[in-house]
Short mmCIF file of all heavy atoms in Angstrom, two decimals:
data_model
loop_
_atom_site.label_atom_id
_atom_site.label_comp_id
_atom_site.label_asym_id
_atom_site.label_seq_id
_atom_site.Cartn_x
_atom_site.Cartn_y
_atom_site.Cartn_z
N ARG A 4 -2.66 -16.74 0.32
CA ARG A 4 -3.71 -15.76 0.81
C ARG A 4 -3.11 -14.46 1.39
O ARG A 4 -3.65 -13.48 1.19
CB ARG A 4 -4.43 -16.59 1.96
CG ARG A 4 -5.55 -15.86 2.56
CD ARG A 4 -6.26 -16.68 3.52
NE ARG A 4 -5.61 -16.94 4.75
CZ ARG A 4 -5.68 -16.16 5.86
NH1 ARG A 4 -6.40 -15.08 5.87
NH2 ARG A 4 -4.88 -16.52 6.95
N ARG A 5 -1.85 -14.58 1.93
CA ARG A 5 -1.25 -13.41 2.33
C ARG A 5 -1.02 -12.39 1.09
O ARG A 5 -1.28 -11.29 1.26
CB ARG A 5 0.21 -13.81 2.91
CG ARG A 5 1.03 -12.61 3.45
CD ARG A 5 0.23 -11.88 4.61
NE ARG A 5 -0.24 -12.79 5.55
CZ ARG A 5 -1.30 -12.51 6.36
NH1 ARG A 5 -1.77 -11.25 6.36
NH2 ARG A 5 -1.83 -13.46 7.19
N LEU A 6 -0.50 -12.90 0.08
CA LEU A 6 -0.17 -12.14 -1.11
C LEU A 6 -1.57 -11.48 -1.62
O LEU A 6 -1.68 -10.36 -1.92
CB LEU A 6 0.51 -12.84 -2.24
CG LEU A 6 0.74 -12.02 -3.57
CD1 LEU A 6 1.53 -10.75 -3.19
CD2 LEU A 6 1.56 -12.99 -4.54
N LYS A 7 -2.57 -12.29 -1.61
CA LYS A 7 -3.89 -11.80 -1.98
C LYS A 7 -4.26 -10.67 -1.20
O LYS A 7 -4.78 -9.73 -1.76
CB LYS A 7 -4.86 -13.04 -1.89
CG LYS A 7 -6.40 -12.56 -2.24
CD LYS A 7 -7.23 -13.77 -2.06
CE LYS A 7 -8.68 -13.34 -2.42
NZ LYS A 7 -9.59 -14.46 -2.16
N GLN A 8 -4.17 -10.84 0.11
CA GLN A 8 -4.59 -9.77 1.10
C GLN A 8 -3.81 -8.45 0.70
O GLN A 8 -4.24 -7.33 0.80
CB GLN A 8 -4.49 -10.25 2.44
CG GLN A 8 -5.40 -11.34 2.88
CD GLN A 8 -5.12 -11.89 4.28
OE1 GLN A 8 -3.93 -11.96 4.74
NE2 GLN A 8 -6.08 -12.37 4.93
N ILE A 9 -2.48 -8.65 0.54
CA ILE A 9 -1.59 -7.41 0.31
C ILE A 9 -2.08 -6.83 -0.89
O ILE A 9 -2.02 -5.68 -0.99
CB ILE A 9 -0.14 -8.03 0.30
CG1 ILE A 9 0.34 -8.46 1.64
CG2 ILE A 9 0.71 -6.78 -0.14
CD1 ILE A 9 1.58 -9.17 1.77
N LEU A 10 -2.21 -7.44 -1.94
CA LEU A 10 -2.55 -6.91 -3.19
C LEU A 10 -3.86 -6.20 -3.13
O LEU A 10 -3.94 -5.11 -3.78
CB LEU A 10 -2.59 -7.96 -4.34
CG LEU A 10 -1.32 -8.45 -4.79
CD1 LEU A 10 -1.48 -9.67 -5.79
CD2 LEU A 10 -0.54 -7.43 -5.50
N VAL A 11 -4.84 -6.71 -2.42
CA VAL A 11 -6.11 -6.06 -2.20
C VAL A 11 -5.89 -4.78 -1.43
O VAL A 11 -6.35 -3.78 -1.86
CB VAL A 11 -7.02 -6.97 -1.44
CG1 VAL A 11 -8.29 -6.23 -1.08
CG2 VAL A 11 -7.47 -8.18 -2.30
N ALA A 12 -5.15 -4.84 -0.47
CA ALA A 12 -4.88 -3.67 0.41
C ALA A 12 -4.04 -2.68 -0.20
O ALA A 12 -4.34 -1.45 -0.23
CB ALA A 12 -4.12 -3.98 1.66
N MET A 13 -2.94 -3.12 -0.99
CA MET A 13 -2.07 -2.07 -1.66
C MET A 13 -2.59 -1.56 -2.98
O MET A 13 -2.26 -0.45 -3.31
CB MET A 13 -0.72 -2.90 -1.78
CG MET A 13 0.47 -2.05 -2.25
SD MET A 13 1.91 -2.88 -2.53
CE MET A 13 1.55 -3.81 -4.10
N LEU A 14 -3.17 -2.43 -3.75
CA LEU A 14 -3.63 -2.04 -5.11
C LEU A 14 -5.08 -1.45 -5.11
O LEU A 14 -5.37 -0.65 -5.97
CB LEU A 14 -3.37 -3.25 -6.02
CG LEU A 14 -1.97 -3.68 -6.30
CD1 LEU A 14 -1.88 -4.97 -6.96
CD2 LEU A 14 -1.22 -2.68 -6.91
N ALA A 15 -5.85 -2.23 -4.50
CA ALA A 15 -7.37 -2.00 -4.75
C ALA A 15 -8.02 -1.10 -3.74
O ALA A 15 -9.10 -0.52 -3.99
CB ALA A 15 -8.02 -3.29 -4.83
N ALA A 16 -7.54 -0.99 -2.51
CA ALA A 16 -8.14 -0.28 -1.51
C ALA A 16 -8.28 1.18 -1.86
O ALA A 16 -7.35 1.87 -2.24
CB ALA A 16 -7.39 -0.29 -0.16
N GLY A 17 -9.48 1.72 -1.88
CA GLY A 17 -9.78 3.02 -2.33
C GLY A 17 -9.89 3.17 -3.79
O GLY A 17 -10.88 3.85 -4.28
N ALA A 18 -9.06 2.55 -4.58
CA ALA A 18 -9.10 2.54 -5.90
C ALA A 18 -10.40 2.20 -6.55
O ALA A 18 -10.92 2.71 -7.47
CB ALA A 18 -7.89 2.08 -6.52
N VAL A 19 -10.71 0.87 -6.14
CA VAL A 19 -11.94 0.19 -6.74
C VAL A 19 -13.23 1.12 -6.19
O VAL A 19 -14.11 1.30 -7.04
CB VAL A 19 -12.05 -1.25 -6.13
CG1 VAL A 19 -13.36 -1.90 -6.50
CG2 VAL A 19 -10.80 -2.02 -6.72
N ALA A 20 -13.17 1.46 -5.00
CA ALA A 20 -14.27 2.27 -4.45
C ALA A 20 -14.54 3.42 -5.35
O ALA A 20 -15.73 3.84 -5.67
CB ALA A 20 -14.15 2.72 -3.09
N SER A 21 -13.44 4.23 -5.86
CA SER A 21 -13.61 5.28 -6.77
C SER A 21 -13.67 5.06 -8.05
O SER A 21 -13.73 5.81 -9.00
CB SER A 21 -12.44 6.27 -6.42
OG SER A 21 -11.26 5.62 -6.77
N ALA A 22 -13.66 3.64 -8.39
CA ALA A 22 -13.82 3.21 -9.94
C ALA A 22 -12.72 3.67 -10.72
O ALA A 22 -12.99 3.87 -11.96
CB ALA A 22 -15.23 3.55 -10.32
N SER A 23 -11.57 3.96 -10.19
CA SER A 23 -10.36 4.19 -11.15
C SER A 23 -10.05 3.03 -11.86
O SER A 23 -10.09 1.87 -11.51
CB SER A 23 -9.23 4.74 -10.23
OG SER A 23 -8.67 3.54 -9.61
N GLU A 24 -9.64 3.20 -13.14
CA GLU A 24 -9.29 2.15 -14.10
C GLU A 24 -8.19 1.31 -13.58
O GLU A 24 -8.21 0.15 -13.67
CB GLU A 24 -8.96 2.86 -15.41
CG GLU A 24 -8.68 1.73 -16.57
CD GLU A 24 -8.35 2.32 -17.86
OE1 GLU A 24 -8.41 3.54 -17.97
OE2 GLU A 24 -8.10 1.58 -18.82
N SER A 25 -7.19 1.95 -13.12
CA SER A 25 -5.95 1.30 -12.51
C SER A 25 -6.26 0.37 -11.36
O SER A 25 -5.90 -0.69 -11.26
CB SER A 25 -4.86 2.26 -12.17
OG SER A 25 -5.32 3.09 -11.16
N GLY A 26 -7.27 0.91 -10.50
CA GLY A 26 -7.55 0.17 -9.42
C GLY A 26 -8.34 -1.15 -9.68
O GLY A 26 -8.17 -2.20 -9.19
N ILE A 27 -9.32 -1.00 -10.70
CA ILE A 27 -10.20 -1.98 -11.04
C ILE A 27 -9.20 -3.14 -11.79
O ILE A 27 -9.42 -4.21 -11.50
CB ILE A 27 -11.31 -1.59 -12.03
CG1 ILE A 27 -12.25 -0.72 -11.22
CG2 ILE A 27 -12.00 -2.77 -12.67
CD1 ILE A 27 -13.28 -0.12 -12.07
N LEU A 28 -8.39 -2.73 -12.61
CA LEU A 28 -7.55 -3.64 -13.37
C LEU A 28 -6.60 -4.32 -12.35
O LEU A 28 -6.34 -5.59 -12.45
CB LEU A 28 -6.63 -2.93 -14.37
CG LEU A 28 -7.47 -2.55 -15.62
CD1 LEU A 28 -6.67 -1.46 -16.37
CD2 LEU A 28 -7.74 -3.72 -16.47
N SER A 29 -6.15 -3.79 -11.39
CA SER A 29 -5.28 -4.25 -10.34
C SER A 29 -6.06 -5.37 -9.56
O SER A 29 -5.39 -6.46 -9.25
CB SER A 29 -4.72 -3.23 -9.40
OG SER A 29 -3.86 -2.29 -10.10
N TYR A 30 -7.21 -4.99 -9.21
CA TYR A 30 -8.03 -6.06 -8.53
C TYR A 30 -8.29 -7.15 -9.29
O TYR A 30 -8.11 -8.39 -8.73
CB TYR A 30 -9.28 -5.28 -7.90
CG TYR A 30 -10.25 -6.23 -7.27
CD1 TYR A 30 -9.97 -6.65 -6.07
CD2 TYR A 30 -11.37 -6.83 -7.80
CE1 TYR A 30 -10.73 -7.43 -5.12
CE2 TYR A 30 -12.16 -7.66 -7.03
CZ TYR A 30 -11.91 -7.92 -5.82
OH TYR A 30 -12.64 -8.78 -5.05
N ARG A 31 -8.55 -7.08 -10.52
CA ARG A 31 -8.82 -8.21 -11.35
C ARG A 31 -7.51 -9.02 -11.57
O ARG A 31 -7.62 -10.24 -11.59
CB ARG A 31 -9.31 -7.76 -12.70
CG ARG A 31 -10.79 -7.16 -12.81
CD ARG A 31 -11.08 -6.55 -14.18
NE ARG A 31 -12.38 -5.98 -14.20
CZ ARG A 31 -12.89 -5.18 -15.13
NH1 ARG A 31 -12.16 -4.98 -16.20
NH2 ARG A 31 -14.13 -4.89 -15.16
N ALA A 32 -6.43 -8.38 -11.58
CA ALA A 32 -5.09 -9.17 -11.68
C ALA A 32 -4.91 -9.94 -10.48
O ALA A 32 -4.48 -11.10 -10.62
CB ALA A 32 -3.93 -8.07 -11.87
N GLN A 33 -5.23 -9.46 -9.38
CA GLN A 33 -4.95 -10.28 -8.10
C GLN A 33 -5.83 -11.44 -8.11
O GLN A 33 -5.36 -12.55 -7.80
CB GLN A 33 -5.49 -9.29 -6.92
CG GLN A 33 -5.66 -9.99 -5.60
CD GLN A 33 -7.05 -10.31 -5.38
OE1 GLN A 33 -7.89 -9.51 -5.41
NE2 GLN A 33 -7.37 -11.64 -5.16
N ARG A 34 -7.11 -11.42 -8.70
CA ARG A 34 -7.90 -12.60 -8.77
C ARG A 34 -7.41 -13.57 -9.72
O ARG A 34 -7.56 -14.89 -9.51
CB ARG A 34 -9.37 -12.02 -9.18
CG ARG A 34 -10.06 -11.21 -8.11
CD ARG A 34 -11.48 -10.91 -8.50
NE ARG A 34 -12.35 -11.97 -8.50
CZ ARG A 34 -13.60 -11.95 -8.82
NH1 ARG A 34 -14.15 -10.87 -9.20
NH2 ARG A 34 -14.41 -13.07 -8.84
N SER A 35 -6.84 -13.10 -10.85
CA SER A 35 -6.23 -13.92 -11.91
C SER A 35 -5.05 -14.77 -11.30
O SER A 35 -4.86 -15.99 -11.33
CB SER A 35 -5.80 -13.16 -13.13
OG SER A 35 -6.89 -12.58 -13.71
N PHE A 36 -4.19 -13.97 -10.50
CA PHE A 36 -2.97 -14.66 -9.95
C PHE A 36 -3.37 -15.68 -8.92
O PHE A 36 -2.80 -16.74 -8.84
CB PHE A 36 -2.09 -13.58 -9.26
CG PHE A 36 -1.38 -12.63 -10.24
CD1 PHE A 36 -1.38 -11.29 -10.04
CD2 PHE A 36 -0.77 -13.20 -11.32
CE1 PHE A 36 -0.79 -10.48 -10.84
CE2 PHE A 36 -0.06 -12.38 -12.25
CZ PHE A 36 -0.15 -10.92 -12.02
N ASP A 37 -4.38 -15.38 -8.08
CA ASP A 37 -4.89 -16.31 -7.15
C ASP A 37 -5.29 -17.65 -7.66
O ASP A 37 -5.28 -18.60 -7.04
CB ASP A 37 -6.01 -15.61 -6.33
CG ASP A 37 -6.21 -16.32 -4.98
OD1 ASP A 37 -5.27 -16.65 -4.25
OD2 ASP A 37 -7.39 -16.62 -4.55
N SER A 38 -5.77 -17.62 -8.84
CA SER A 38 -6.30 -18.86 -9.54
C SER A 38 -5.26 -19.48 -10.38
O SER A 38 -5.63 -20.39 -11.09
CB SER A 38 -7.56 -18.59 -10.28
OG SER A 38 -7.33 -17.62 -11.36
N GLY A 39 -4.01 -18.94 -10.41
CA GLY A 39 -2.91 -19.44 -11.24
C GLY A 39 -2.94 -19.07 -12.57
O GLY A 39 -2.10 -19.67 -13.38
N LYS A 40 -3.62 -18.05 -12.91
CA LYS A 40 -3.56 -17.56 -14.26
C LYS A 40 -2.54 -16.27 -14.46
O LYS A 40 -3.07 -15.24 -14.32
CB LYS A 40 -5.03 -17.08 -14.74
CG LYS A 40 -6.04 -18.15 -14.67
CD LYS A 40 -7.45 -17.70 -14.96
CE LYS A 40 -8.41 -18.82 -14.95
NZ LYS A 40 -9.73 -18.34 -15.14
N PHE A 41 -1.33 -16.64 -14.57
CA PHE A 41 -0.28 -15.70 -14.47
C PHE A 41 -0.28 -14.80 -15.74
O PHE A 41 -0.06 -13.53 -15.65
CB PHE A 41 1.10 -16.31 -14.27
CG PHE A 41 1.41 -16.73 -12.76
CD1 PHE A 41 0.61 -17.73 -12.25
CD2 PHE A 41 2.10 -15.93 -12.05
CE1 PHE A 41 0.82 -18.09 -10.81
CE2 PHE A 41 2.39 -16.23 -10.67
CZ PHE A 41 1.67 -17.29 -10.11
N ALA A 42 -0.41 -15.39 -16.85
CA ALA A 42 -0.22 -14.56 -17.98
C ALA A 42 -1.35 -13.45 -18.15
O ALA A 42 -1.20 -12.31 -18.40
CB ALA A 42 -0.27 -15.44 -19.30
N LYS A 43 -2.55 -13.98 -17.83
CA LYS A 43 -3.70 -13.06 -17.77
C LYS A 43 -3.63 -12.06 -16.75
O LYS A 43 -3.79 -10.72 -16.88
CB LYS A 43 -5.06 -13.89 -17.64
CG LYS A 43 -6.37 -13.01 -17.48
CD LYS A 43 -7.54 -13.87 -17.21
CE LYS A 43 -8.76 -13.09 -17.22
NZ LYS A 43 -10.03 -13.88 -16.87
N GLY A 44 -3.09 -12.41 -15.57
CA GLY A 44 -2.97 -11.41 -14.49
C GLY A 44 -1.95 -10.43 -14.77
O GLY A 44 -2.04 -9.21 -14.45
N TYR A 45 -0.86 -10.83 -15.34
CA TYR A 45 0.26 -9.91 -15.55
C TYR A 45 -0.11 -8.97 -16.68
O TYR A 45 0.15 -7.78 -16.61
CB TYR A 45 1.56 -10.61 -15.92
CG TYR A 45 2.75 -9.78 -15.91
CD1 TYR A 45 3.35 -9.42 -14.81
CD2 TYR A 45 3.25 -9.12 -17.10
CE1 TYR A 45 4.47 -8.64 -14.73
CE2 TYR A 45 4.31 -8.31 -17.02
CZ TYR A 45 4.91 -8.07 -15.76
OH TYR A 45 5.98 -7.23 -15.68
N GLY A 46 -0.94 -9.36 -17.65
CA GLY A 46 -1.40 -8.50 -18.80
C GLY A 46 -2.37 -7.47 -18.22
O GLY A 46 -2.30 -6.32 -18.59
N GLN A 47 -3.14 -7.90 -17.08
CA GLN A 47 -4.00 -6.93 -16.43
C GLN A 47 -3.18 -5.76 -15.65
O GLN A 47 -3.48 -4.61 -15.65
CB GLN A 47 -4.89 -7.67 -15.54
CG GLN A 47 -6.06 -8.42 -16.30
CD GLN A 47 -6.78 -9.38 -15.51
OE1 GLN A 47 -6.22 -9.92 -14.49
NE2 GLN A 47 -7.95 -9.53 -15.73
N LEU A 48 -1.98 -6.23 -15.09
CA LEU A 48 -1.22 -5.25 -14.34
C LEU A 48 -0.50 -4.31 -15.38
O LEU A 48 -0.34 -3.15 -15.03
CB LEU A 48 -0.03 -6.04 -13.63
CG LEU A 48 -0.52 -6.70 -12.27
CD1 LEU A 48 0.76 -7.34 -11.57
CD2 LEU A 48 -1.03 -5.65 -11.26
N GLU A 49 -0.13 -4.77 -16.46
CA GLU A 49 0.45 -3.98 -17.53
C GLU A 49 -0.51 -2.86 -17.89
O GLU A 49 -0.10 -1.67 -18.13
CB GLU A 49 0.88 -4.76 -18.71
CG GLU A 49 2.17 -5.60 -18.49
CD GLU A 49 2.54 -6.41 -19.61
OE1 GLU A 49 1.67 -6.91 -20.41
OE2 GLU A 49 3.79 -6.50 -20.00
N ARG A 50 -1.85 -3.23 -18.03
CA ARG A 50 -2.85 -2.31 -18.41
C ARG A 50 -3.05 -1.33 -17.27
O ARG A 50 -3.30 -0.11 -17.45
CB ARG A 50 -4.12 -3.03 -18.86
CG ARG A 50 -4.02 -3.74 -20.16
CD ARG A 50 -5.07 -4.77 -20.25
NE ARG A 50 -6.43 -4.18 -20.12
CZ ARG A 50 -7.54 -4.90 -19.91
NH1 ARG A 50 -7.50 -6.18 -19.80
NH2 ARG A 50 -8.71 -4.30 -19.82
N ALA A 51 -3.03 -1.84 -15.95
CA ALA A 51 -3.18 -1.03 -14.85
C ALA A 51 -1.94 0.00 -14.82
O ALA A 51 -2.26 1.16 -14.30
CB ALA A 51 -3.20 -1.96 -13.54
N LEU A 52 -0.83 -0.38 -15.10
CA LEU A 52 0.35 0.58 -15.11
C LEU A 52 -0.08 1.69 -16.11
O LEU A 52 0.23 2.93 -15.73
CB LEU A 52 1.59 -0.26 -15.61
CG LEU A 52 2.93 0.66 -15.53
CD1 LEU A 52 3.21 1.34 -14.22
CD2 LEU A 52 4.00 -0.11 -16.00
N LEU A 53 -0.30 1.39 -17.21
CA LEU A 53 -0.69 2.49 -18.24
C LEU A 53 -1.85 3.28 -17.71
O LEU A 53 -1.85 4.62 -17.90
CB LEU A 53 -1.03 1.81 -19.59
CG LEU A 53 -0.02 1.14 -20.33
CD1 LEU A 53 -0.56 0.41 -21.61
CD2 LEU A 53 1.07 1.98 -20.77
N ALA A 54 -2.85 2.75 -17.24
CA ALA A 54 -3.95 3.48 -16.64
C ALA A 54 -3.53 4.47 -15.54
O ALA A 54 -3.95 5.56 -15.36
CB ALA A 54 -4.98 2.62 -16.11
N SER A 55 -2.58 3.93 -14.69
CA SER A 55 -2.17 4.78 -13.50
C SER A 55 -1.33 6.10 -14.09
O SER A 55 -1.40 7.13 -13.49
CB SER A 55 -1.29 3.99 -12.53
OG SER A 55 -0.03 3.55 -13.17
N ARG A 56 -0.55 5.80 -15.14
CA ARG A 56 0.08 6.93 -15.74
C ARG A 56 -0.82 7.83 -16.50
O ARG A 56 -0.61 9.11 -16.46
CB ARG A 56 1.16 6.36 -16.68
CG ARG A 56 2.41 5.73 -15.93
CD ARG A 56 3.37 4.98 -16.72
NE ARG A 56 4.51 4.57 -16.07
CZ ARG A 56 5.41 3.70 -16.40
NH1 ARG A 56 5.34 3.20 -17.67
NH2 ARG A 56 6.46 3.41 -15.67
N LYS A 57 -1.94 7.32 -16.97
CA LYS A 57 -2.96 8.31 -17.66
C LYS A 57 -3.54 9.05 -16.66
O LYS A 57 -3.84 10.21 -16.73
CB LYS A 57 -3.92 7.37 -18.44
CG LYS A 57 -5.03 8.20 -19.11
CD LYS A 57 -6.03 7.37 -19.88
CE LYS A 57 -6.71 6.41 -18.99
NZ LYS A 57 -7.72 5.62 -19.69
N GLU A 58 -3.79 8.47 -15.32
CA GLU A 58 -4.35 9.12 -14.20
C GLU A 58 -3.45 10.08 -13.50
O GLU A 58 -3.88 10.85 -12.62
CB GLU A 58 -4.98 8.16 -13.29
CG GLU A 58 -6.03 7.18 -13.83
CD GLU A 58 -6.17 5.96 -13.06
OE1 GLU A 58 -5.39 5.73 -12.12
OE2 GLU A 58 -6.99 5.12 -13.47
N ALA A 59 -2.16 9.94 -13.84
CA ALA A 59 -1.10 10.75 -13.27
C ALA A 59 -1.08 10.57 -11.78
O ALA A 59 -0.74 11.50 -11.10
CB ALA A 59 -1.34 12.26 -13.64
N ASP A 60 -1.32 9.36 -11.35
CA ASP A 60 -1.27 8.97 -9.92
C ASP A 60 -0.03 8.15 -9.63
O ASP A 60 0.12 7.01 -9.91
CB ASP A 60 -2.51 8.02 -9.73
CG ASP A 60 -2.68 7.80 -8.17
OD1 ASP A 60 -1.68 7.98 -7.44
OD2 ASP A 60 -3.82 7.42 -7.76
N LEU A 61 1.08 8.91 -9.09
CA LEU A 61 2.30 8.37 -8.85
C LEU A 61 2.35 7.22 -7.77
O LEU A 61 2.98 6.14 -7.89
CB LEU A 61 3.38 9.27 -8.45
CG LEU A 61 3.81 10.31 -9.55
CD1 LEU A 61 4.80 11.35 -8.90
CD2 LEU A 61 4.39 9.56 -10.55
N LEU A 62 1.33 7.42 -6.76
CA LEU A 62 1.15 6.29 -5.72
C LEU A 62 0.73 4.99 -6.37
O LEU A 62 1.25 3.87 -6.11
CB LEU A 62 0.29 6.86 -4.54
CG LEU A 62 0.09 5.81 -3.55
CD1 LEU A 62 1.41 5.30 -2.85
CD2 LEU A 62 -0.82 6.39 -2.39
N SER A 63 -0.44 5.11 -7.16
CA SER A 63 -0.92 3.97 -7.95
C SER A 63 0.13 3.30 -8.70
O SER A 63 0.20 2.06 -8.81
CB SER A 63 -2.21 4.33 -8.51
OG SER A 63 -3.30 4.71 -7.59
N GLU A 64 0.87 4.15 -9.52
CA GLU A 64 1.87 3.65 -10.38
C GLU A 64 2.86 2.85 -9.58
O GLU A 64 3.34 1.83 -10.01
CB GLU A 64 2.60 4.75 -11.11
CG GLU A 64 3.64 4.37 -11.99
CD GLU A 64 4.37 5.46 -12.56
OE1 GLU A 64 3.75 6.57 -12.97
OE2 GLU A 64 5.62 5.43 -12.87
N GLY A 65 3.30 3.47 -8.53
CA GLY A 65 4.37 2.67 -7.65
C GLY A 65 3.75 1.33 -7.10
O GLY A 65 4.58 0.37 -7.18
N ARG A 66 2.48 1.37 -6.76
CA ARG A 66 1.90 0.17 -6.23
C ARG A 66 1.84 -0.94 -7.31
O ARG A 66 2.13 -2.13 -7.19
CB ARG A 66 0.56 0.38 -5.84
CG ARG A 66 0.47 1.09 -4.44
CD ARG A 66 -0.95 1.59 -4.17
NE ARG A 66 -1.06 2.15 -2.85
CZ ARG A 66 -2.16 3.00 -2.35
NH1 ARG A 66 -3.16 3.12 -3.23
NH2 ARG A 66 -2.07 3.42 -1.24
#
Side-chain angles (χ1 to χ4, degrees):
R4 184 170 69 90
R5 179 64 43 202
L6 177 56
K7 176 182 178 181
Q8 291 172 329
I9 292 168
L10 286 172
V11 171
M13 189 178 73
L14 297 171
V19 172
S21 63
S23 72
E24 183 180 0
S25 61
I27 292 170
L28 286 167
S29 297
Y30 180 72
R31 289 174 180 171
Q33 168 263 305
R34 296 183 66 182
S35 296
F36 292 131
D37 196 48
S38 61
K40 298 175 182 178
F41 278 76
K43 180 179 180 180
Y45 196 79
Q47 289 166 326
L48 280 182
E49 288 179 321
R50 290 163 58 198
L52 179 61
L53 293 175
S55 70
R56 287 173 172 170
K57 181 177 67 177
E58 295 157 1
D60 187 339
L61 290 175
L62 177 56
S63 292
E64 178 182 324
R66 288 169 174 166

